[in-house]
Amino acid sequence: QVQLVESGGGLVQAGGSLRLSCAASGRSFSSYFMGWFRQAPGKEREFVATISWSGGSTYYADSAKGRFTISRDNAKNTVYLQMNSLKPEDAAVYYCAASQDQTIYAFAYNYWGQGTQVTVSS
């Protein structure tokens, strides 16, 4: 079992930055691929970014490329999402998740956090 707790969400003006954190507890965090997803009201949950167990491989949704950076610190059992140049359309609840595969598909993630709200004002 892996327990995930996100933090770092909040209200930011368009063009601003936020860093989300996801703290993991339980076994073998470093053996899991980690991902960030988001869900806006009335929309399906969508993939944002994923990172390999070592941190050496990352992959981003087109909407995140060049603006968001996913990273992890296995010594702290934490994965991060640095979000820069935020846009109103980035507003959503952001979730971190753990998987045994590096994938963009939410169904392949076994463990999920409760989410953290990101609001972007224009």
Side-chain angles (χ1 to χ4, degrees):
Q1 282 279 10
V2 177
Q3 292 79 41
L4 303 171
V5 178
E6 301 96 336
S7 62
L11 172 64
V12 64
Q13 287 190 331
S17 299
L18 281 176
R19 188 176 82 153
L20 306 183
S21 299
C22 173
S25 59
R27 56 187 231 183
S28 303
F29 168 76
S30 61
S31 66
Y32 284 92
F33 295 91
M34 298 298 296
W36 284 96
F37 290 77
R38 66 187 184 186
Q39 188 167 19
K43 295 188 176 182
E44 293 188 356
R45 190 168 298 190
E46 66 173 357
F47 167 76
V48 177
T50 181
I51 189 167
S52 63
W53 64 269
S54 69
S57 174
T58 58
Y59 185 77
Y60 298 90
D62 287 345
S63 59
K65 286 178 184 175
R67 300 187 301 126
F68 295 3
T69 302
I70 188 171
S71 62
R72 69 190 294 165
D73 185 339
N74 287 339
K76 295 182 178 180
N77 282 5
T78 302
V79 62
Y80 305 97
L81 185 68
Q82 176 68 44
M83 304 188 295
N84 299 327
S85 302
L86 282 161
K87 306 174 182 179
E89 53 263 42
D90 293 319
V93 177
Y94 282 72
Y95 300 89
C96 70
S99 173
Q100 294 184 326
D101 298 299
Q102 190 163 23
T103 176
I104 68 171
Y105 299 107
F107 67 77
Y109 285 77
N110 310 94
Y111 304 103
W112 291 83
Q114 83 291 347
T116 186
Q117 177 72 51
V118 171
T119 304
V120 183
S121 63
S122 56

